[in-house]
Amino acid sequence: MDQETLGSVVLLAIVTLISVVQNAFFANKVEHESKHCNGKGFQRPGSSAFDRVYTANQNCGHTYPTFLAVLWCAGLLCSQAPAAFAGLMYLFVRQKYFVGYLGERTQSTPGYLFGKRIILFLFLMSVAGILNYYLIFFFGSDFEMHIKTITSAISPLLLIP
């Protein structure tokens, strides 16, 4: 793979690998809680602590494919740096959701809502990249620099709760 191609995806690959480590951490928490509850291995014993960890892990796992799809689409079709920044923010929010779910379930709500906003941002970046492609294809108008400027300016706004 040449350096230019690698340079256009390296940040997305880093965020993806960090998300894999995070998934392993979540799975390890489920395994640890399972062993702690009954000492045998992975079983669903029905304890409140185990159920919270297991459910939080399942909820994070259900949104993971959507996150990866919009992360890579936004990064490839629009702009890598804002997409990678939004991806890192999503991972932070997902960690907050997971830890919040281990306490009271209401503590996980801010992480959930913030995560939805980040997924929407990545989705809109992807749509903007697709629209720009078709504008170039049909009309010869390239708005790539405008889109990159807008997404770079908007991505720090994701930090506002």
Side-chain angles (χ1 to χ4, degrees), residues 52 55-56 59-60 93-115:
R52 283 195 308 269
T55 303
N59 290 347
C60 288
V93 166
R94 192 167 74 151
Q95 184 74 25
K96 183 174 175 55
Y97 170 81
F98 188 85
V99 171
Y101 208 93
L102 300 183
E104 292 183 29
R105 289 189 175 130
T106 56
Q107 293 174 348
S108 66
T109 303
Y112 174 74
L113 296 175
F114 203 48

Side-chain angles (χ1 to χ4, degrees), residues 51-67:
D51 285 341
R52 283 195 308 269
V53 171
Y54 183 79
T55 303
N57 183 47
Q58 290 297 311
N59 290 347
C60 288
H62 290 153
T63 59
Y64 188 63
T66 303
F67 163 68

Side-chain angles (χ1 to χ4, degrees), residues 21-125:
V21 171
Q22 188 181 48
N23 280 343
F25 169 76
F26 293 162
N28 189 38
K29 291 295 270 185
V30 172
E31 180 183 2
H32 174 72
E33 193 61 41
S34 174
K35 288 180 180 177
H36 179 71
C37 288
N38 67 0
K40 295 178 183 173
F42 185 75
Q43 293 179 348
R44 292 190 70 179
S47 78
S48 176
F50 175 79
D51 285 341
R52 283 195 308 269
V53 171
Y54 183 79
T55 303
N57 183 47
Q58 290 297 311
N59 290 347
C60 288
H62 290 153
T63 59
Y64 188 63
T66 303
F67 163 68
L68 284 180
V70 294
L71 172 72
W72 279 88
C73 286
L76 293 174
L77 298 172
C78 191
S79 181
Q80 177 186 202
F85 176 75
L88 286 174
M89 290 303 304
Y90 180 79
L91 296 178
F92 173 76
V93 166
R94 192 167 74 151
Q95 184 74 25
K96 183 174 175 55
Y97 170 81
F98 188 85
V99 171
Y101 208 93
L102 300 183
E104 292 183 29
R105 289 189 175 130
T106 56
Q107 293 174 348
S108 66
T109 303
Y112 174 74
L113 296 175
F114 203 48
K116 279 180 32 178
R117 185 187 329 168
I118 294 170
I119 293 290
L120 176 64
F121 173 73
L122 290 169
F123 174 77
L124 292 175
M125 280 183 66

Side-chain angles (χ1 to χ4, degrees), residues 126-137:
S126 302
V127 169
I130 291 169
L131 287 175
N132 187 53
Y133 171 79
Y134 281 109
L135 285 173
I136 294 168
F137 187 76

